[in-house]
Amino acid sequence: QVQLVESGGGLVQAGGSLTLSCSTSGRILGLANMGWYRQAPGKQRESVANLTYHGRTNYQDHVRGRFTISKDIRKNMVYLRLNELKPEDTAVYYCHADLPRLSATYWGQGTQVTVSS
């Protein structure tokens, strides 16, 4: 079974930056569509950024131009660079893997990002 473990969250001031990491197991990055989601208090979980197995990226409108998703296949790692952070970016950020060829999906446990005014 695939396991995803996020790290890198923390408390930052508005305008600051963070890099989130997602460690993956099972050497799935060649087959998986990877994504970052977030969930704020009182809000539904929403997609933030997605990176397909063939390298295509997609971003939620509110983060496009500020966040960057990337991966390192050799290290089995996925990253999310968060720049120009705003208080409304405060949420728990989750790593997600979708393996369409295997009809399987996986979630990490999340990492907290808090942006102060």
Side-chain angles (χ1 to χ4, degrees), residues 53-73:
Y53 65 88
H54 58 277
R56 183 172 181 174
T57 59
N58 292 285
Y59 296 95
Q60 197 254 26
D61 289 343
H62 298 307
V63 309
R64 186 176 294 110
R66 298 189 296 120
F67 294 4
T68 303
I69 187 171
S70 62
K71 65 181 178 182
D72 187 331
I73 295 178

Side-chain angles (χ1 to χ4, degrees), residues 9-98:
L11 174 63
V12 298
Q13 292 184 331
S17 299
L18 283 174
T19 298
L20 306 183
S21 299
C22 174
S23 176
T24 71
S25 65
R27 298 191 178 189
I28 65 168
L29 296 185
L31 297 174
N33 297 318
M34 303 301 301
W36 286 95
Y37 290 69
R38 68 185 182 187
Q39 187 166 22
K43 299 278 190 176
Q44 293 186 339
R45 189 172 299 185
E46 64 177 357
S47 176
V48 175
N50 195 59
L51 177 62
T52 68
Y53 65 88
H54 58 277
R56 183 172 181 174
T57 59
N58 292 285
Y59 296 95
Q60 197 254 26
D61 289 343
H62 298 307
V63 309
R64 186 176 294 110
R66 298 189 296 120
F67 294 4
T68 303
I69 187 171
S70 62
K71 65 181 178 182
D72 187 331
I73 295 178
R74 290 196 309 107
K75 296 180 178 180
N76 297 314
M77 297 288 291
V78 179
Y79 306 97
L80 184 68
R81 178 65 175 175
L82 301 83
N83 292 323
E84 304 173 46
L85 283 163
K86 305 174 181 179
E88 52 263 43
D89 294 320
T90 296
V92 177
Y93 284 72
Y94 297 90
C95 185
H96 178 262
D98 175 41

